[in-house]
Amino acid sequence: MAIIATLGILIGFGIVPFPFFDKFSEKQQIAVVGSVPCPINPAKHVSPEKIELTLLNGTDQTGLARRVKAEMEDRGFVVTATDNTPSGEFTGSVLIRAGALGVNRAYTVSEAFSESTIEFDSRQNTSVTITFGERFDNLIDADQFAAAIRGDIKPRTGCLPVSLGDD
């Protein structure tokens, strides 16, 4: 009886895992604003012609977003706006933001750059925003980009699943 009581106490305080209900009691983490989202299944790239982009210059280089616009359009993307970041400089390379409906689009856009970060935000449409930072140097070759988007999307390390609101 003492063994059962001790085992019950150890399980109750989480010191010893209960073998049957452990997976059921875990709440699955989902992407929140600022986290890295996982692609939405099916994890397929989206045709660039179906991706609307806003390009933001997060550097002190005058006209950077406008210069990149032509290269993005050459790769088939639809650039709807260029501007400077409203919050000042961005020190990284490329920051790609999208909401739940634009996650696979963000992954497709990321293939155009050798280094980029994908970040989840709260927008409720399919648009994607790219912020170019101080470490941005250039896009990858157009042929390499075309080859990269032929394959399936590869999730980023540490990504979190996205809730589409139908759960």
Side-chain angles (χ1 to χ4, degrees):
M1 191 69 133
I3 293 173
I4 293 174
T6 303
L7 188 58
I9 291 170
L10 292 174
I11 290 172
F13 283 106
I15 297 168
V16 174
F18 189 68
F20 303 110
F21 300 115
D22 194 35
K23 294 286 183 202
F24 295 111
S25 64
E26 289 180 16
K27 181 171 171 73
Q28 182 182 21
Q29 280 190 304
I30 60 168
V32 295
V33 171
S35 63
V36 178
C38 292
I40 307 295
N41 284 326
K44 302 287 184 193
H45 287 287
V46 177
S47 174
E49 297 82 21
K50 295 180 180 178
I51 303 175
E52 293 184 355
L53 300 175
T54 297
L55 307 181
L56 300 176
N57 181 357
T59 74
D60 57 5
Q61 299 175 46
T62 304
L64 176 62
R66 281 192 312 270
R67 285 196 305 274
V68 175
K69 177 183 179 191
E71 292 186 60
M72 295 302 287
E73 289 173 338
D74 286 346
R75 285 162 178 75
F77 295 103
V78 178
V79 179
T80 59
T82 61
D83 205 347
N84 294 316
T85 56
S87 59
E89 292 187 52
F90 171 59
T91 58
S93 179
V94 177
L95 176 61
I96 303 167
R97 289 188 182 110
L101 300 174
V103 169
N104 288 7
R105 286 169 166 78
Y107 272 89
T108 301
V109 169
S110 75
E111 297 290 357
F113 307 100
S114 59
E115 180 184 349
S116 66
T117 301
I118 298 174
E119 189 175 278
F120 186 70
D121 70 16
S122 61
R123 73 185 74 191
Q124 299 295 311
N125 59 40
T126 61
S127 70
V128 176
T129 300
I130 305 172
T131 303
F132 299 99
E134 294 294 331
R135 291 192 337 220
F136 171 71
D137 58 1
N138 215 340
L139 284 79
I140 67 166
D141 178 74
D143 292 334
Q144 288 177 309
F145 169 73
I149 64 171
R150 279 195 218 78
D152 290 344
I153 295 174
K154 293 172 184 64
R156 299 280 174 111
T157 303
C159 72
L160 295 172
V162 174
S163 171
L164 296 175
D166 57 354
D167 298 334

